[in-house]
Amino acid sequence: MDAKSLNAKALILAAGAGTRMKSEKPKVAHEVLGKPLVRWVVDAAHDAGMSEVISVLGHMSDKVSPLVEGDTTIVMQTQQLGTGDAVNAARDAMTGNDGAIAPGTLVVLSGDCPLITPETIRALVAKREQTNAAVVVLTMHMDDPFGYGRIVREGAGDAVARIVEQKDASPEEASITECNAGFYAFDAPALFDALSRVSNDNAQGEYYLTDVLEICRNDGREVLALMTQDAEEAMGVNSRIQLAQATRAMQRRINERHMAAGVTMWDPATVWIGPDVTLENDVELLPNVMLLGATSVGRDSVIGPNTRLTDTVVGRGCRVDETVAEGAQIDDKATSGPRAYLRTGAHLCEGAKAGTHVEIKKSTIGAGSKVPHLSYIGDTQMGAGVNIGAGSITCNYDGVNKNKTVIGDNVFVGSDTMMVAPVTIGEGAIIGAASCITHDVAPDALALERNEQKEIPGWAAKHMAKLKAAKEEKAQ
């Protein structure tokens, strides 16, 4: 069923302090695989087809707001007085021009539960619309239910009598293993009518959203449960331990999706893939690989081991081994590593090579060109068929400005060469080893920059004899 056709909206609760995180930033800003917790929930709501997504902010809202602005309506909870108070903060946003709450379904989600899926959100909406229930509660079975609100059912059907919080539960209620997952689909007018009658007469002095269920039931409206088959979806993040658990769960979910689509992983437990990464089939990921941001990898490429790619585009048939790349582009059949660093703006054209202990920054390495080992190439435009000898660098920084080096096609640069920018080396030129090139080199020329070599016959033997004699004299 299409949630959009139901005029369903989502309300995301993201106002809490999250004190157990012991952090200087709000809980919902902590990340799972490079993406803030609250963004996982916002994106799931959008993917479910919600007509509007509303975010309730409070604690450190200045740091949370940038994460949700633009595609959600932001409302503020000025005091953190419980979940009922948080939802009530959205009353004005849900009120139409006629002063009444707009009809339709409102799905309430927790901003610290990144594993919720669009499919489950749609299922909540569908059940509420099909039954015209006042509320549909997402529930889950927990082997260890401690800390969760317990679902007290009415008989054997889907009807829910009430939800009892851990601190308010009797011993009998505390033994119940069906728990509140913290996600609800409400009939919006019924929700806000009930909220106006919620009391804070409880152990915490807070307004519980769960009290709405009993009020609606007393009004003669149905309150139903929808049991999820995967309790992991409702995993909340309230500590660093739970953050790691959620990250591991998301890692497994993402990896299984890619493997099902034709990606090979030697050891999925050591492969970490962000939510926005795209992989073609027949990509092979070796152990200890991290693919983050907007990274994409083309067919028949092998990545790893020990590789981290962020916002990097890798073409087809590439080999990327022990490489760190950020904002780089690696074209078809290019190779990188082992132990290479491709910084922002690095571009390996088709068949190019960045080898061992090579760093490349804001430079184009032309088709078939090679920077095999122990080199730094920065702010450089390099043509095709170039060979850079070991230990060569482009000296691009003069202490104030970054300057450019231009290297033409088919240039051969000898080992241990410094090219002091700005400088241009013409097509087909050869640079002798150990040169310091400070002036432009003409096409097809040989450029050398060396001091005259001097030799003193027999000096080494005499020098060593002198050192040994001094040592023996000191020992006496």
Side-chain angles (χ1 to χ4, degrees), residues 18 46 55 61 85 151 158 179 204 224 226 231 239 246 248 277 318 327 338 340 350 394 428 439 461 465 472:
H46 282 304
S55 298
S61 60
D85 180 65
I151 300 295
D158 289 342
C179 299
Q204 293 294 98
L224 304 177
L226 175 67
S239 68
R248 177 66 74 178
V277 171
C318 298
E350 184 172 357
T394 57
H439 297 89
E472 291 172 357

Side-chain angles (χ1 to χ4, degrees), residues 82 129 245 328 413:
E129 292 289 339
Q245 292 169 343
V413 176

Side-chain angles (χ1 to χ4, degrees), residues 237-253:
V237 174
N238 294 294
S239 68
R240 306 287 180 145
I241 294 171
Q242 291 175 335
L243 181 65
Q245 292 169 343
T247 300
R248 177 66 74 178
M250 190 64 76
Q251 175 207 30
R252 184 180 66 252
R253 182 186 292 181

Side-chain angles (χ1 to χ4, degrees), residues 261-275:
V263 172
T264 294
M265 301 180 192
W266 285 21
D267 182 6
T270 64
V271 174
W272 301 87
I273 303 173

Side-chain angles (χ1 to χ4, degrees), residues 117-137:
T117 64
E119 293 76 17
T120 294
I121 296 173
R122 285 195 290 267
L124 278 169
V125 173
K127 184 163 185 174
R128 201 215 70 78
E129 292 289 339
Q130 290 164 359
T131 61
N132 195 32
V135 193
V136 175
V137 185

Side-chain angles (χ1 to χ4, degrees), residues 44-164:
H46 282 304
D47 291 344
M50 299 293 99
S51 62
E52 183 181 7
V53 178
I54 303 169
S55 298
V56 181
L57 309 187
H59 178 71
M60 300 179 75
S61 60
D62 58 320
K63 295 185 178 180
V64 180
S65 181
L67 306 178
V68 298
E69 62 187 6
D71 63 346
T72 80
T73 301
I74 295 175
V75 299
M76 300 300 299
Q77 183 187 17
T78 55
Q79 299 182 71
Q80 279 68 66
L81 299 176
T83 52
D85 180 65
V87 173
N88 204 42
R91 180 180 293 269
D92 288 346
M94 292 293 296
T95 301
N97 295 330
D98 59 357
I101 299 297
T105 299
L106 180 66
V107 181
V108 177
L109 308 171
S110 298
D112 61 357
C113 296
L115 297 169
I116 189 65
T117 64
E119 293 76 17
T120 294
I121 296 173
R122 285 195 290 267
L124 278 169
V125 173
K127 184 163 185 174
R128 201 215 70 78
E129 292 289 339
Q130 290 164 359
T131 61
N132 195 32
V135 193
V136 175
V137 185
L138 187 68
T139 69
M140 58 188 177
H141 170 75
M142 300 291 289
D143 293 330
D144 179 8
F146 184 83
Y148 289 90
R150 306 305 202 278
I151 300 295
V152 180
R153 293 212 182 201
E154 180 183 355
D158 289 342
V160 176
R162 63 189 181 278
I163 300 177
V164 182

Side-chain angles (χ1 to χ4, degrees), residues 363-413:
S363 297
T364 296
I365 311 302
S369 292
K370 299 177 182 180
V371 187
H373 24 235
L374 301 166
S375 295
Y376 168 73
I377 304 295
D379 297 281
T380 298
Q381 181 66 43
M382 185 183 301
V386 174
N387 187 86
I388 302 293
S392 295
I393 66 171
T394 57
C395 305
N396 57 321
Y397 185 48
D398 61 12
V400 177
N401 301 305
K402 298 291 180 70
N403 299 300
K404 189 171 184 177
T405 298
V406 178
I407 302 174
D409 294 345
N410 302 312
V411 167
F412 182 91
V413 176

